[in-house]
């Protein structure tokens, strides 16, 4: 991968997680379905993310985690999803080892957002996200160390969506592939 993780992680045991990278097949090309997390959540409040989350003991594998979490968070039925592969894992600063599961999504579908976790779901054209000119690198100081992250700001309908951090890094890794 171009980017394997956020850098030094917090001191705690690693936790397995998976996200779905849903590529929606539209007439004008592929679009990536993303979510904005609600503002009251403990982890990553208000951030743009892929649907997904922590693995549970009853999940058969990383794909099962991504599909279960996607159905729970946004109500996207598994019957509309065709998994095409996984990207390399990405380790977040909070020590989640995330497997991005890439899948084609066939419309039509109706989403049912879990209002506790998801404030909004929206789509961004894949072509926009795969254009390097839209990939911005940010550098900042934290705890005496230089750290960096990527962002891919996207404007649509009078709003700006600040896609950054782990989500942007995983999209950059998709670009690399």
């Amino acid at each position: 991968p171009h980017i394997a993780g956020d850098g030094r992680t917090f001191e705690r045991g690693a936790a397995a997680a998976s996200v779905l990278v849903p590529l929606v097949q539209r007439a004008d090309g592929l679009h990536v379905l993303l979510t904005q997390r609600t503002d009251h959540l403990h982890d990553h409040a208000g951030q743009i993310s892929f649907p997904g989350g922590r693995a549970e003991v009853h999940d058969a594998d990383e794909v099962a985690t991504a599909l279960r979490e996607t159905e729970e968070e946004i109500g996207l039925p598994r019957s509309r999803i065709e998994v095409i592969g996984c990207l390399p894992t990405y380790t977040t600063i909070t020590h989640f080892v995330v497997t991005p599961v890439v899948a084609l999504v066939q419309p039509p579908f109706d989403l049912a957002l879990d209002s506790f976790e998801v404030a909004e779901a929206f789509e961004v054209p894949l072509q926009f996200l795969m254009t390097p000119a839209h990939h911005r690198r940010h550098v900042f100081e934290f705890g005496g160390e230089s750290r960096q992250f990527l962002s891919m700001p996207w404007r649509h309908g009078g709003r700006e969506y600040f896609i950054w951090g782990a989500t942007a890094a995983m999209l950059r890794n998709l670009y690399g592939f």
Side-chain angles (χ1 to χ4, degrees):
H2 282 243
I3 306 166
D6 291 338
R8 194 177 79 193
T9 60
F10 290 125
E11 299 298 322
R12 70 170 197 147
S18 294
V19 295
L20 192 72
V21 181
L23 305 177
V24 182
Q25 301 175 87
R26 299 286 183 198
D28 64 342
L30 293 174
H31 290 234
V32 178
L33 178 61
L34 295 167
T35 67
Q36 182 163 16
R37 296 172 57 82
T38 55
D39 288 332
H40 70 270
L41 292 176
H42 178 22
D43 292 321
H44 315 295
Q47 292 184 10
I48 305 298
S49 65
F50 296 113
R54 184 188 302 258
E56 294 184 4
V57 293
H58 63 273
D59 292 334
D61 56 21
E62 295 86 353
V63 171
T65 299
L67 294 174
R68 176 187 53 75
E69 284 283 339
T70 297
E71 200 163 30
E72 289 174 3
E73 288 182 11
I74 63 172
L76 183 61
R78 295 175 192 216
S79 62
R80 310 307 297 166
I81 300 170
E82 178 188 349
V83 174
I84 57 176
C86 295
L87 294 173
T89 60
Y90 182 89
T91 303
T92 67
I93 194 168
T94 53
H95 218 174
F96 282 96
V97 180
V98 182
T99 301
V101 177
V102 182
L104 295 174
V105 178
Q106 182 63 50
F109 54 83
D110 292 316
L111 299 180
L113 305 183
D114 175 344
S115 61
F116 182 79
E117 289 190 46
V118 180
E120 179 181 1
F122 61 96
E123 296 179 17
V124 179
L126 180 64
Q127 182 177 358
F128 174 88
L129 296 168
M130 296 296 106
T131 303
H134 300 141
H135 302 176
R136 298 185 182 154
R137 187 169 303 280
H138 306 264
V139 179
F140 66 100
E141 294 293 321
F142 180 77
E145 294 182 24
S146 180
R147 299 191 58 95
Q148 58 182 318
F149 67 92
L150 284 178
S151 72
M152 299 171 184
W154 183 65
R155 286 190 172 97
H156 180 72
R159 291 200 50 206
E160 182 170 327
Y161 296 89
F162 193 67
I163 304 163
W164 70 286
T167 302
M170 287 182 249
L171 285 166
R172 179 66 183 201
N173 288 341
L174 179 62
Y175 164 78
F177 280 94

